[in-house]
């Protein structure tokens, strides 16, 4: 690998210039640096990348942000290109998925729904991904469903050419499509940890409830807003949130009224486990958590997630039966030997585990 020095200059849409200097190994990491910085400077328009090799060769690249993102996504992992999702790899075996529709406060349109499901279905089986970090780019985590989606639902619901039965079947098909996108997050065997800042409304709460661990910044607020639009939430909040917070009285209060739940209240309820003073601190903390999780045995971590989800949905006796059947196979894993020897020998460095 070449040892290179690289300067990255971000030209913001307001005309300001933010230079950053990095020194790192392997020129292939350039786009990784671009994307990590882009997650901080959400209003970046153009990236100017200048690198100098040991031999003195000077490389200058000017990349529109969307091209840089597309190149990075395809180069890092062979995942599909996503229009509204920004992917990066901030740590080994950790994939960062950013909702990337900042001009719409990351509201979900139909393409966005499809991409979420596709992305997490691919990450579920990707060997270089052991933990997923989920966050939002721009001023908000997610402002809910885009009005284009409402318009599509309305075009079916109020279509006078269709009778009630046919409209109902078409509406159910659309609703189930939206539900499945977030269920893909829950079904992903890799832990999905989430950092929330700003607004988390409607579909944003639905999505949040499908994740494993949730941090937020003090400016975050959560709102089950569907009732204010005249319908019941139907994409997962009513099914998952009561099991997360355990307070049915308050759960019903916020669902019936659509009022905002601020960060400290979300912390008291257990919707989030930690609150930070800024979005940057929240994101970096959740990435650190993801790194810690990724250093553990993937057999153990993914088995734990699967069994926790099973225990949530089934009686204790069935869950005990499930985990007994699981561990009668998984206790034979090489990971058990490695982890046990590391503990016995009090190794300073964690053991290295093979990908699944």
């Amino acid at each position: 690998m070449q040892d290179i020095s690289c300067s990255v200059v971000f030209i913001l849409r307001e005309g300001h210039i933010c230079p950053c200097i990095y020194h790192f190994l392997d020129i292939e990491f350039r786009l990784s640096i671009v994307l990590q910085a882009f997650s901080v400077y959400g209003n970046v328009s153009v990236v100017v990348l200048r690198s100098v090799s040991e031999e003195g060769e000077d490389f200058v690249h000017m990349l529109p942000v969307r091209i840089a993102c597309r190149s990075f996504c395809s180069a890092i992992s062979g995942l599909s290109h996503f229009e509204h999702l920004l992917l990066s790899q901030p740590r080994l075996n950790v994939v960062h998925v950013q909702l990337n529709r900042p001009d719409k406060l990351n509201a979900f349109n139909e393409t966005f729904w499809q991409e979420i499901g596709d992305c997490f279905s691919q990450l579920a089986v990707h060997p270089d991904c052991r933990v997923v970090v989920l966050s939002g780019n721009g001023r908000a985590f997610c402002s809910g469903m885009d009005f284009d989606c409402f318009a599509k639902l309305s075009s079916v619901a109020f279509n006078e050419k269709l009778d009630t039965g046919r409209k109902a079947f078409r509406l159910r098909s659309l609703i189930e499509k939206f539900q499945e996108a977030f269920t893909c997050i829950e079904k992903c065997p890799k832990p999905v940890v989430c950092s929330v800042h700003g607004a988390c409304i409607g579909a944003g709460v639905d999505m949040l409830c499908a994740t494993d661990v949730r941090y937020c910044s003090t400016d975050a607020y959560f709102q089950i807003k569907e009732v204010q639009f005249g319908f019941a939430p139907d994409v997962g909040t009513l099914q998952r949130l009561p099991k997360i917070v355990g307070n049915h009285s308050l759960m019903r209060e916020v669902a019936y009224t659509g009022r905002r739940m601020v960060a400290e209240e979300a912390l008291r309820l257990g919707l989030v486990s930690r609150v930070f003073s800024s979005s940057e601190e929240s994101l970096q903390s959740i990435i650190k958590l993801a790194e810690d999780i990724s250093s553990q045995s993937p057999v153990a971590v993914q088995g734990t997630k699967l069994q926790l989800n099973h225990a949530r949905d089934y009686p204790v006796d069935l869950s005990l039966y499930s985990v007994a059947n699981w561990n009668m196979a998984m206790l034979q894993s090489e990971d058990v030997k490695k982890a046990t020897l590391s503990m016995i020998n009090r190794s300073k460095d964690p053991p290295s585990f093979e990908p699944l």
Side-chain angles (χ1 to χ4, degrees), residues 76-102:
I76 188 175
S77 58
L79 295 173
S80 301
H81 164 59
F82 300 109
E83 182 180 355
H84 299 312
L85 297 175
L86 189 63
L87 273 65
S88 60
Q89 198 163 17
R91 302 289 188 275
L92 182 66
N93 296 319
V94 175
V95 174
H96 183 192
V97 177
Q98 274 192 307
L99 310 179
N100 190 37
R101 208 172 172 231

Side-chain angles (χ1 to χ4, degrees), residues 332-353:
Q332 302 175 59
S333 168
E334 286 294 319
D335 290 16
V336 176
K337 296 179 184 178
K338 288 183 178 180
T340 303
L341 286 173
S342 178
M343 293 284 288
I344 292 172
N345 296 328
R346 299 183 179 181
S347 302
K348 293 182 179 180
D349 298 321
S352 176
F353 299 105

Side-chain angles (χ1 to χ4, degrees), residues 82-237:
F82 300 109
E83 182 180 355
H84 299 312
L85 297 175
L86 189 63
L87 273 65
S88 60
Q89 198 163 17
R91 302 289 188 275
L92 182 66
N93 296 319
V94 175
V95 174
H96 183 192
V97 177
Q98 274 192 307
L99 310 179
N100 190 37
R101 208 172 172 231
D103 54 326
K104 299 293 185 180
L105 299 180
N106 296 320
F108 277 92
N109 61 13
E110 195 167 2
T111 301
F112 209 163
W113 287 103
Q114 182 67 44
E115 289 186 347
I116 281 287
D118 290 347
C119 178
F120 279 90
S121 294
Q122 292 178 39
L123 290 175
V125 295
H126 199 286
D128 294 333
C129 174
R130 295 187 185 179
V131 186
V132 183
V133 173
L134 180 64
S135 71
N137 183 29
R139 294 187 293 115
F141 174 70
C142 177
S143 60
M145 185 183 290
D146 193 291
F147 281 106
D148 289 347
C149 283
F150 280 116
K152 182 163 186 176
L153 291 169
S154 297
S155 69
V156 176
F158 303 110
N159 187 338
E160 296 180 356
K161 296 180 181 179
L162 296 175
D163 65 33
T164 301
R166 284 164 177 78
K167 287 191 288 187
F169 273 101
R170 293 188 185 187
L171 284 171
R172 186 174 73 172
S173 178
L174 286 171
I175 293 168
E176 288 178 341
K177 179 181 177 182
F178 295 155
Q179 290 175 345
E180 182 58 29
F182 293 160
T183 297
C184 285
I185 298 175
E186 184 178 63
K187 286 183 176 179
C188 178
K190 287 78 182 282
V192 181
V193 297
C194 186
S195 175
V196 178
H197 71 284
C200 180
I201 299 172
V205 179
D206 292 316
M207 178 170 54
L208 185 70
C209 290
T211 63
D212 294 279
V213 180
R214 297 160 292 275
Y215 289 177
C216 76
S217 54
T218 52
D219 69 335
Y221 66 89
F222 308 84
Q223 196 168 10
I224 307 170
K225 201 176 177 67
E226 286 86 345
V227 69
Q228 296 182 358
F229 286 95
F231 65 95
D234 55 7
V235 195
T237 292

Side-chain angles (χ1 to χ4, degrees), residues 312-328:
R312 178 197 60 195
D313 298 332
Y314 291 90
V316 172
D317 57 340
L318 292 181
S319 295
L320 289 171
Y321 182 75
S322 173
V323 75
N325 284 335
W326 179 270
N327 267 357
M328 72 181 187

Side-chain angles (χ1 to χ4, degrees), residues 10-29:
F10 306 96
I11 302 177
L12 306 188
R13 291 195 177 95
E14 289 81 358
H16 302 293
I17 296 178
C18 293
C20 303
I21 305 296
Y22 296 90
H23 189 75
F24 52 92
L25 295 175
D26 193 347
I27 199 167
E28 293 180 1
F29 285 169

